[in-house]
Amino acid sequence: MNTNLLERNKNNPILIPDKSNWWESKAAFNCAILCYDNRIHMLYRAIGEYEKYISRIGYASSTDGISFDRSKDAAMAPEEEYEKYGIEDPRLVEIDRQIFLSYVILSDYVSEGPTASTALATTTDFKNYTRLGIITSKGSDNKDVVLFPEKTNPKLSNAEEKGGNTNKYLFLHRPASWIGSKFGVDRPSIWLGEGNSLTKFEKHTLLLKPEQEWEALKIGAGPPPVKTKDGWLLIYHGKDTQAVYRAGAALLDLKDPTKVLGRTKRPILEPLEPYEKNGDVSNVVFPTGACTIDGTLFVYYGAADKVCCLATIDLETLLDYILDEKHVNC
Ligand code: BMA
């Protein structure tokens, strides 16, 4: 396996639990990233107790993408009734100069094996957050939801709407209950949804399903797709039968993101380092944030559900690799 395609930052982990701050004293992981107004903003999942395992969201920011200054208070804590079992795994995106975060909410305590839904919020200052409600369909047990940073008109809309502004909001999601013959897939897969509003996605296309052994149980989107000259770059995770989480990458057509241009057969990152192999959930690399700085792709990931880490790669190199992999597949 080519597990060293991404290069780990030598300062890893770049963010660890803060024992002096109760709400993030046990774990600080799975961070969202957004480059916005010359700063790199981070929202991360934080745990302060293991009894109920209720997640909150912390905020930190940086000028170099490596050293982060964190805020003392949680950026978001459960407030709404639907958030009462915790708010997890934020993903940040900017659409038309507006900042949005999607985040996971649960139907019960973690110990009870809850189902998941995904909610949306917006902020202008990373201090105040306006809740926009739940955006996944009822009963779909749905997480790993990421919004595209631009409205687009995928081919699947063309037949229906001709003329006018037909651009749609797009998101990727992973409805765990959408399996069986009706859905054409036997394991939780990544779907592309489109909608006229950010809170209602109506039309869905199956995009990627588990194919390799390292993806055997399920796959899910990582950070929101990154726009590149060759297509939308998607970093995603796969879980295998031994519960190991690894990262892979795919490239989607810019104009019609339902079209997959290439996909890595082998993981581009897998648990190797002690901070990835041992933690609250061992053997996990879980990418949730990305940004490009001077041609280098920064991929942020949670390691072992404990800490936040960074790995980088020259963007061109990764794009070439994904397209090469595709050729190998042919
Ligand atoms: C997923 C999510 C992530 C977590 C990962 C590994 O289902 O719950 O928050 O990092 O499992 O435990």
Side-chain angles (χ1 to χ4, degrees), residues 56 66 79 87 101 129 185 190 202 224-225 288 296 329:
R56 290 171 173 73
I66 300 167
E79 253 177 50
I87 48 181
L101 66 141
Y129 295 83
V185 70
I190 300 175
E202 283 153 340
T288 42
T296 298
N329 270 334

Side-chain angles (χ1 to χ4, degrees), residues 29-30 45 53 88-89 91 104 106 143-144 174 218 237 239 243 245 280-286 288 302-306:
F29 61 115
N30 295 2
R45 178 176 172 192
Y53 206 66
E88 304 183 351
D89 297 353
R91 271 37 176 237
V104 173
L106 303 174
K143 54 163 106 172
D144 302 319
R174 207 280 308 283
K218 56 184 176 181
H237 66 258
K239 182 182 184 182
Y245 280 78
D280 288 349
V281 180
S282 296
N283 296 313
V284 174
V285 300
F286 196 81
T288 42
D305 285 12
K306 191 72 174 173

Side-chain angles (χ1 to χ4, degrees), residues 75-149:
M76 278 178 86
E79 253 177 50
E80 298 292 329
E81 178 66 18
Y82 60 76
E83 296 175 335
K84 70 178 174 188
Y85 298 110
I87 48 181
E88 304 183 351
D89 297 353
R91 271 37 176 237
L92 272 168
V93 71
E94 177 192 340
I95 307 174
D96 294 337
R97 288 296 292 160
Q98 206 183 338
I99 303 165
F100 295 97
L101 66 141
S102 47
Y103 57 98
V104 173
I105 53 165
L106 303 174
S107 62
D108 207 334
Y109 291 113
V110 168
S111 58
E112 302 303 312
T115 56
S117 301
T118 297
L120 190 69
T122 181
T123 182
T124 53
D125 55 8
F126 291 97
K127 292 191 180 91
N128 302 296
Y129 295 83
T130 305
R131 266 87 167 162
L132 302 173
I134 298 171
I135 59 169
T136 48
S137 39
K138 227 180 158 76
S140 56
D141 192 7
N142 211 335
K143 54 163 106 172
D144 302 319
V145 172
V146 295
L147 297 165
F148 281 67

Side-chain angles (χ1 to χ4, degrees), residues 213-324:
E213 241 170 70
W214 63 272
E215 308 169 328
L217 290 191
K218 56 184 176 181
I219 57 172
V226 176
K227 192 174 190 181
T228 75
K229 65 173 188 20
D230 292 337
W232 291 106
L233 171 63
L234 172 65
I235 311 283
Y236 67 94
H237 66 258
K239 182 182 184 182
D240 75 5
T241 52
Q242 306 302 307
V244 179
Y245 280 78
R246 299 178 175 85
L251 205 56
L252 313 177
D253 188 82
L254 277 183
K255 288 209 180 94
D256 178 5
T258 60
K259 220 156 99 193
V260 181
L261 304 177
R263 175 177 176 185
T264 57
K265 284 200 292 191
R266 292 169 296 180
I268 57 170
L269 189 71
E270 71 170 352
L272 282 182
E273 296 294 330
Y275 52 80
E276 297 161 348
K277 288 179 108 39
N278 309 301
D280 288 349
V281 180
S282 296
N283 296 313
V284 174
V285 300
F286 196 81
T288 42
C291 66
T292 309
I293 303 176
D294 295 333
T296 298
L297 181 73
F298 283 49
V299 177
Y300 294 84
Y301 63 99
D305 285 12
K306 191 72 174 173
V307 294
C308 293
C309 293
L310 167 65
T312 55
I313 185 168
D314 174 65
L315 182 60
E316 279 293 321
T317 307
L318 179 58
L319 296 175
D320 288 349
Y321 180 84
I322 297 170
L323 293 170
D324 266 4

Side-chain angles (χ1 to χ4, degrees), residues 180-198:
S181 53
K182 182 173 161 206
F183 297 100
V185 70
D186 58 1
R187 284 158 296 159
S189 302
I190 300 175
W191 294 70
L192 185 142
E194 56 174 302
N196 290 315
S197 102
L198 273 172

